[in-house]
């Protein structure tokens, strides 16, 4: 019995020891397994990207086409008006178009209507005003303003020249026109004064300078000068030139066109021999300014510069041209073609 108890006790003890050992190990957590490492291959290298080319440079705009060459080679066209009769002043040209006196800047741009006109053909202008005869009236438009003013009324006039005080005009000696002669009237207006009577059928031209008035007579064939002093009488300085239809003056010479010989002639103001400087002249006028002289030989415009031995042609094949000259240049229009053209100096 005792042996049995010992064996039983030993058996129970062994079982308890095993149970303890088992539960002791079961209660202690197991050591974690090492993490599973997945080898991730490195990303493939990015493909090489070529740098973008720089943008092309901006394309320069096409330059505008050059303006067309003027119809009259060598000249500058300052207007496209059809104006056979016109006058020039510093920076501006005056002419009649569509019943209006137009002021056209020489620099170009739009012309401006500054007054009215009907059949004006004898414009004369300076820096202060333009004068013209129209409908038996002598009219004035002050520079920079609009609207014409009557200088003389009820008179058959051809406007000729200006000085600081007066406007000079002629009443031609035609059979049906009364009181022919050379007149002057104050620039602001008033009663005209006859300074030279004209014989029947005679035609005068007038150029007024500071202290003398120059007169040519077509029929008499003379050029005379008239002092501005009261009571002065004309003094003939050129004679025997029958058929003078145009003349001009500058500081040194008198110039005139003799229609019967188709010549341009000149003589010094102080006297001396008469020279022929132009030949085969087809029509008037002859114009001079600052020693530069212009006229037409045939249909060609010629220019004699100060000191030059002979004239040179500056425009050819003109159609019934008109001509004006001032200190800025020479100006030409044609009867059957539009345009006012300037030859600057």
């Amino acid at each position: 019995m005792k042996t049995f108890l010992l064996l039983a006790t030993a058996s129970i003890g062994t079982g308890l020891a095993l149970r303890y050992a088992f539960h002791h190990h079961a209660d202690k957590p197991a050591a974690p397994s090492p993490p599973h490492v997945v080898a991730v291959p490195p990303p493939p290298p990015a493909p090489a990207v070529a740098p973008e080319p720089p943008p092309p440079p901006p394309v320069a705009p096409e330059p505008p086409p050059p303006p067309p060459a003027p119809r009259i080679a060598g000249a500058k066209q300052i207007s496209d008006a059809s104006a056979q009769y016109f006058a020039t002043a510093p920076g501006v040209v005056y002419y009649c178009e569509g019943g209006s006196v137009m002021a056209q800047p020489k620099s170009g741009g739009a012309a401006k209507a500054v007054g009215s006109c009907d059949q004006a053909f004898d414009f004369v202008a300076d820096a202060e005003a333009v004068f013209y005869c129209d409908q038996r009236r002598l009219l004035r438009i002050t520079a920079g303003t609009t609207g014409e003013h009557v200088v003389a009324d009820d008179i058959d006039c051809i406007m000729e020249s200006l000085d600081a005080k007066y406007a000079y005009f002629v009443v031609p000696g035609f059979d049906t026109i009364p009181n022919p002669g050379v007149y002057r009237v104050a620039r602001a207006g008033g009663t005209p004064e006859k300074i030279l009577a004209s014989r029947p059928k005679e035609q005068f031209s007038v150029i007024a300078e500071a202290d003398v008035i120059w007169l040519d007579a077509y029929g008499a064939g003379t050029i005379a000068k008239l002092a501005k002093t009261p009571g002065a009488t004309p003094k003939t300085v050129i004679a025997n030139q029958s058929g003078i239809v145009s003349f001009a003056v500058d500081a040194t010479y008198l110039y005139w066109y003799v229609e019967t010989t188709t010549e341009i002639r000149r003589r010094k103001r102080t006297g001396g021999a008469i020279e022929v400087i132009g030949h085969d002249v087809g029509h008037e006028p002859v114009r001079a300014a600052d020693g530069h002289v212009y006229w037409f030989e045939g249909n060609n415009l010629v220019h004699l510069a100060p000191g030059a031995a002979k004239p040179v042609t500056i425009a050819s094949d003109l159609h019934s041209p008109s001509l004006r000259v001032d200190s800025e240049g020479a100006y030409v229009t044609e009867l059957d073609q539009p345009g006012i053209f300037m030859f600057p100096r």
Side-chain angles (χ1 to χ4, degrees), residues 105-187:
K106 293 178 183 177
S107 58
K112 178 182 179 182
V114 295
S116 63
C117 57
D118 184 18
Q119 296 179 349
F121 62 90
D122 52 355
F123 293 94
V124 178
D126 60 14
E128 297 182 9
V130 57
F131 292 75
Y132 57 103
C133 294
D134 201 355
Q135 297 293 315
R136 304 194 74 244
R137 300 180 299 167
L138 175 59
L139 303 173
R140 183 195 83 244
I141 301 171
T142 302
T145 70
T146 58
E148 68 277 7
H149 303 276
V150 177
V151 177
D153 201 0
D154 193 27
I155 192 162
D156 297 289
C157 62
I158 300 173
M159 182 61 202
E160 288 285 332
S161 190
L162 294 168
D163 65 15
K165 294 179 61 176
Y166 296 102
Y168 296 82
F169 61 91
V170 299
V171 174
F174 303 149
D175 290 341
T176 59
I177 297 179
N179 301 316
V182 178
Y183 291 77
R184 70 183 180 187
V185 62
R187 292 174 65 115

Side-chain angles (χ1 to χ4, degrees), residues 249-265:
V249 300
D250 63 19
T252 305
Y253 289 98
L254 307 173
Y255 307 88
W256 63 98
Y257 165 40
V258 182
E259 186 179 47
T260 53
T261 63
T262 67
E263 292 175 339
I264 302 294
R265 299 173 179 175

Side-chain angles (χ1 to χ4, degrees), residues 3-272:
T3 301
F4 172 79
L5 290 172
L6 287 173
L7 292 171
T9 300
S11 176
I12 292 171
T14 301
L16 290 173
L18 293 172
R19 183 177 179 183
Y20 172 79
F22 175 79
H23 284 289
H24 178 73
H25 288 288
D27 292 338
K28 186 176 180 179
S33 302
H36 180 69
V37 178
V38 177
V40 178
V49 178
E52 291 189 9
V59 177
E62 288 289 332
R71 188 180 75 249
I72 300 177
K76 169 189 174 185
Q77 183 169 353
I78 60 177
S79 173
D80 59 2
S82 297
Q84 183 75 351
Y85 304 106
F86 61 99
T88 68
V92 66
V93 174
Y94 296 98
Y95 57 91
C96 182
E97 183 179 59
S100 295
V101 177
M102 308 300 293
Q104 170 68 60
K106 293 178 183 177
S107 58
K112 178 182 179 182
V114 295
S116 63
C117 57
D118 184 18
Q119 296 179 349
F121 62 90
D122 52 355
F123 293 94
V124 178
D126 60 14
E128 297 182 9
V130 57
F131 292 75
Y132 57 103
C133 294
D134 201 355
Q135 297 293 315
R136 304 194 74 244
R137 300 180 299 167
L138 175 59
L139 303 173
R140 183 195 83 244
I141 301 171
T142 302
T145 70
T146 58
E148 68 277 7
H149 303 276
V150 177
V151 177
D153 201 0
D154 193 27
I155 192 162
D156 297 289
C157 62
I158 300 173
M159 182 61 202
E160 288 285 332
S161 190
L162 294 168
D163 65 15
K165 294 179 61 176
Y166 296 102
Y168 296 82
F169 61 91
V170 299
V171 174
F174 303 149
D175 290 341
T176 59
I177 297 179
N179 301 316
V182 178
Y183 291 77
R184 70 183 180 187
V185 62
R187 292 174 65 115
T191 301
E193 171 193 3
K194 182 187 283 189
I195 60 175
L196 182 66
S198 173
R199 66 184 185 181
K201 303 185 187 304
E202 185 60 276
Q203 177 69 50
F204 283 99
S205 297
V206 182
I207 296 175
E209 294 186 314
D211 56 1
V212 68
I213 303 164
W214 296 95
L215 307 161
D216 83 334
Y218 173 80
T222 60
I223 297 176
K225 65 178 180 179
L226 175 65
K228 292 184 177 180
T229 53
T233 58
K235 177 184 177 181
T236 298
V237 296
I238 302 290
N240 302 316
Q241 304 291 307
S242 180
I244 297 176
V245 294
S246 179
F247 82 116
V249 300
D250 63 19
T252 305
Y253 289 98
L254 307 173
Y255 307 88
W256 63 98
Y257 165 40
V258 182
E259 186 179 47
T260 53
T261 63
T262 67
E263 292 175 339
I264 302 294
R265 299 173 179 175
R266 76 176 179 184
R267 200 208 71 180
K268 288 186 176 180
R269 293 167 65 120
T270 55

